[in-house]
Amino acid sequence: MNNIIIKDLSLAYGEKQVLKRINQEIEEKKITAIIGPSGCGKSSLLRCINRMNELIPDAKIMGQIIFDKIDIYDSNTDVTEVRQKIGMVFQRPNPFPKSIYENVAYGLRINGLKDKNKISETVERSLDDCGLLKEVKDRLHTSATELSGGQQQRLCIARALAIEPKVILMDEPCSALDPASTFKIEELMVKLKTRYTVIIVTHNMQQAARVSDTTGFLYLGELIEFGNTKKLFTKPKEKLTEDYISGNFG
Amino acid sequence: MKLKRFEEIIGFTILGFSAIIVILILGTIIVNIISYGSNAISWEFISDFPKDGMTKGGILPTIMGTIFVTIITTLFSIPIGVSAAIYLSEYAKEGMLTRIIRAAIRNLAGVPSIVYGLFGVAIFVQGLGFGSSVLSSGLTLGLLTLPWIIATSEEALKTVPHSYREGSLALGATKWQSIRSNVLPYALPGILTGSILGLSRAAGETAPILFTGVVFFVPGLPDSVFDQFMAMPYHLYILSTQHHAIEQVRSLAYGTALVLITLILIMNFTAIFIRFKLRKKFQM
């Protein structure tokens, strides 16, 4: 088992408390969706799992996140290793202004892979996994910024997959995309969960209901409810969850 | 309604006029220098040594002197300036220390060049024992250029989107890897342009080299960085104010000015060219 175990996790930006003592185990090889109104801390929670919150100067993080038998916040843990194992896809597609090929190869190179054939193989396989290879096969060396938004986002997923992470975090990956591209990304997520643990933050409840196995509802920094997606959407245990999914606030 | 339109025209005219004045000033300087100096320009003028107490011959040693000094300035100020800018923009946490560093840089930029000259004498010529030399002058000009290079490089680094850094860090890159391969390349056009403009400014300075290495005349080009040298700005100063036959060498003075301004324009155009080229490359 390679679950992510969140223990007593609290996060504050300066004086502002964003996450309040979150305790939850997230199962491996499933899609877990985190939903909640804007500003509830769902992106912040996601960014705790690969330590991206540390980039914010006055962020204070307390508690533990155990993954692969280690506490990722332990002082002996190498943050770059954490981020290799736990990849991330951002809200806005952020391809580097390099060629499509170089975008995917980048993660391999910084992790010390030099063998050109191996790099080529991995690049192609990752692009293929994201259904992008057949679309871009004959222009691998043209700029990634010329791709459409949806293609760029799939490229960013391919880039994350190339370094063989175990977990993929997705921070509202479809919010900047049109419905057709959104559909492709959702399909891709379902495909990915056979090999990866996928955690997605979304403000789109239909999306959570469509793709996820497990859903967590976060409200004002507290995890109100967490459980099987179908159950959570049909028979929520908490009144707050019910109000939120039925659109009474948010 | 009429009044508004009138105000618009007045405002537009004043703004436009100010812009034209700037062009006129530059134009007048260039036309003036070309019209007086072009007679002096010949192959001999740029390839020969001065003769007969500067009244004849060329200005080769002054051109080479200026180039040598600028090379030393470049080697000194670009690595230090760019590194400092990277530190300030990427590593330093906002706080008392960085505020002091930034204030120091701003104030350094405002120090008069003659003061840099005196400082150069104290530190490089005497303190470090480099003597009156190409090296001392180059380093002194380097100090003068540093604040400019740091400021423009930091500006250039700040324009690189945050998402490039984030994307790279999220793939397990270290901070330095991210900076080296995902920030620096995109800031490079801005850094180079700023640096070259700073260097071209330094190449035309007289005061900082005055005490630290430049001389009125030396036979031959400098053999090492510890030799004294001739330089165009100083040569120009001598020819136009200190020479025993000022009228006679006037056209040589204008010729020197023309070569100097041409060199500086070439540097500035190189900066524009590099920016254009690299910008195209990285937009690919």
Side-chain angles (χ1 to χ4, degrees):
Chain A
M1 287 296 272
N2 218 340
N3 295 352
I4 298 167
I5 302 158
I6 302 171
K7 278 185 186 169
D8 262 341
L9 182 78
S10 295
L11 167 72
Y13 298 133
E15 295 299 305
K16 190 170 175 277
Q17 193 72 26
V18 184
L19 296 174
K20 298 167 193 164
R21 301 189 71 126
I22 298 205
N23 281 288
Q24 187 58 54
E25 186 162 345
I26 295 174
E27 263 184 274
E28 70 165 336
K29 296 187 180 164
K30 286 215 167 124
I31 301 179
T32 301
I34 299 167
I35 58 168
S38 315
C40 70
K42 51 191 192 302
S43 286
S44 297
L45 173 59
L46 195 74
R47 295 166 72 96
C48 280
I49 302 175
N50 66 343
R51 288 179 62 172
M52 286 301 273
N53 272 334
E54 291 177 358
L55 303 179
I56 298 163
D58 56 351
K60 273 201 301 280
I61 301 150
M62 296 201 314
Q64 291 183 314
I65 294 180
I66 314 283
F67 179 67
D68 222 3
K69 298 180 198 78
I70 53 165
D71 174 12
I72 65 166
Y73 281 102
D74 191 278
S75 54
N76 293 324
T77 306
D78 180 358
V79 64
T80 62
E81 274 174 36
V82 169
R83 292 181 187 146
Q84 277 163 35
K85 281 190 271 183
I86 305 178
M88 184 164 221
V89 176
F90 296 85
Q91 187 168 358
R92 296 185 62 83
N94 63 342
F96 306 133
K98 305 174 193 281
S99 70
I100 296 169
Y101 183 93
E102 283 303 323
N103 259 279
V104 185
Y106 179 76
L108 301 169
R109 293 195 210 280
I110 54 165
N111 289 313
L113 187 63
K114 294 216 169 65
D115 184 344
K116 279 190 180 150
N117 294 328
K118 216 163 181 181
I119 292 177
S120 267
E121 257 171 50
T122 315
V123 169
E124 292 209 357
R125 196 183 57 235
S126 308
L127 287 170
D128 196 29
D129 283 347
C130 296
L132 204 55
L133 187 62
K134 51 185 185 302
E135 293 168 42
V136 300
K137 205 194 233 149
D138 40 356
R139 48 177 176 140
L140 282 179
H141 296 282
T142 60
S143 173
T145 52
E146 283 163 22
L147 296 173
S148 74
Q151 287 174 322
Q152 288 187 6
Q153 194 62 301
R154 279 185 286 149
L155 177 67
C156 292
I157 298 174
R159 187 172 73 187
L161 295 184
I163 53 172
E164 290 168 6
K166 291 175 178 154
V167 180
I168 313 258
L169 308 174
M170 296 189 177
D171 188 359
E172 304 198 22
C174 304
S175 64
L177 305 181
D178 61 86
S181 307
T182 300
F183 178 71
K184 279 192 183 152
I185 303 256
E186 287 181 6
E187 259 188 343
L188 178 56
M189 282 185 226
V190 174
K191 203 176 109 188
L192 290 179
K193 76 170 175 181
T194 55
R195 283 188 288 156
Y196 308 92
T197 308
V198 179
I199 307 177
I200 170 181
V201 157
T202 177
H203 61 247
N204 179 339
M205 280 182 277
Q206 288 76 28
Q207 183 169 56
R210 275 195 303 265
V211 299
S212 71
D213 304 294
T214 315
T215 299
F217 171 57
L218 199 64
Y219 183 66
L220 297 178
E222 286 180 79
L223 196 57
I224 306 294
E225 191 168 346
F226 190 94
N228 179 284
T229 298
K230 264 200 197 107
K231 271 192 196 148
L232 188 131
F233 276 98
T234 51
K235 280 186 200 148
K237 287 186 208 127
E238 301 288 330
K239 179 80 173 65
L240 263 174
T241 316
E242 194 181 333
D243 286 348
Y244 180 68
I245 57 177
S246 54
N248 288 350
F249 70 92
Chain B
M1 221 44 201
K2 276 263 165 62
L3 185 67
K4 263 170 98 177
R5 176 93 189 110
F6 184 64
E7 279 177 352
E8 169 82 12
I9 292 173
I10 294 281
F12 183 77
T13 315
I14 292 174
L15 298 176
F17 192 63
S18 309
I20 288 170
I21 286 179
V22 175
I23 299 174
L24 277 179
I25 293 172
L26 180 66
T28 315
I29 293 175
I30 292 181
V31 168
N32 183 41
I33 290 175
I34 291 178
S35 65
Y36 286 105
S38 54
N39 300 337
I41 302 292
S42 64
W43 175 243
E44 191 203 355
F45 187 68
I46 55 171
S47 67
D48 205 356
F49 283 77
K51 284 175 197 152
D52 296 346
M54 306 271 164
T55 55
K56 286 192 185 121
I59 56 164
L60 177 71
T62 72
I63 300 175
M64 295 316 286
T66 294
I67 291 176
F68 289 156
V69 165
T70 309
I71 290 173
I72 300 279
T73 306
T74 310
L75 294 178
F76 171 69
S77 61
I78 289 190
I80 295 183
V82 174
S83 307
I86 293 176
Y87 173 76
L88 281 175
S89 144
E90 308 292 326
Y91 284 95
K93 290 205 173 75
E94 288 304 319
M96 200 56 188
L97 182 66
T98 45
R99 275 205 295 280
I100 292 173
I101 295 175
R102 273 179 231 278
I105 292 168
R106 267 199 302 279
N107 286 309
L108 215 51
V111 172
S113 58
I114 190 81
V115 177
Y116 278 103
L118 287 173
F119 182 76
V121 173
I123 295 296
F124 302 124
V125 177
Q126 291 169 355
L128 295 172
F130 296 154
S132 184
S133 63
V134 175
L135 183 62
S136 296
S137 287
L139 294 176
T140 308
L141 286 176
L143 294 179
L144 181 101
T145 329
L146 260 184
W148 170 273
I149 291 183
I150 295 173
T152 52
S153 301
E154 210 187 334
E155 229 22 71
L157 288 165
K158 290 246 186 295
T159 60
V160 178
H162 190 62
S163 66
Y164 294 180
R165 297 176 175 86
E166 259 193 341
S168 167
L169 290 170
L171 289 167
T174 59
K175 197 156 185 173
W176 172 239
Q177 283 175 322
S178 300
I179 293 168
R180 203 190 52 205
S181 56
N182 248 344
V183 176
L184 218 43
Y186 310 117
L188 206 57
I191 291 176
L192 284 179
T193 320
S195 300
I196 294 175
L197 293 178
L199 291 170
S200 74
R201 179 87 229 161
E205 279 286 352
T206 316
I209 58 174
L210 189 59
F211 310 136
T212 52
V214 78
V215 285
F216 172 55
F217 181 74
V218 267
L221 300 174
D223 289 326
S224 84
V225 292
F226 294 108
D227 284 353
Q228 292 185 316
F229 63 102
M230 295 170 73
M232 280 189 278
Y234 187 64
H235 192 67
L236 184 53
Y237 165 70
I238 293 289
L239 290 191
S240 45
T241 63
Q242 308 291 305
H243 200 269
H244 58 83
I246 286 179
E247 287 307 318
Q248 207 187 335
V249 295
R250 181 124 301 163
S251 78
L252 294 182
Y254 272 105
T256 309
L258 183 55
V259 175
L260 178 59
I261 211 165
T262 308
L263 181 82
I264 286 167
L265 286 179
I266 288 174
M267 286 173 80
N268 290 1
F269 280 121
T270 312
I272 294 169
F273 180 72
I274 289 176
R275 179 163 54 186
F276 176 75
K277 268 296 210 202
L278 289 180
R279 202 171 266 172
K280 250 183 149 174
K281 188 177 155 204
F282 289 126
Q283 248 158 25
M284 56 144 257

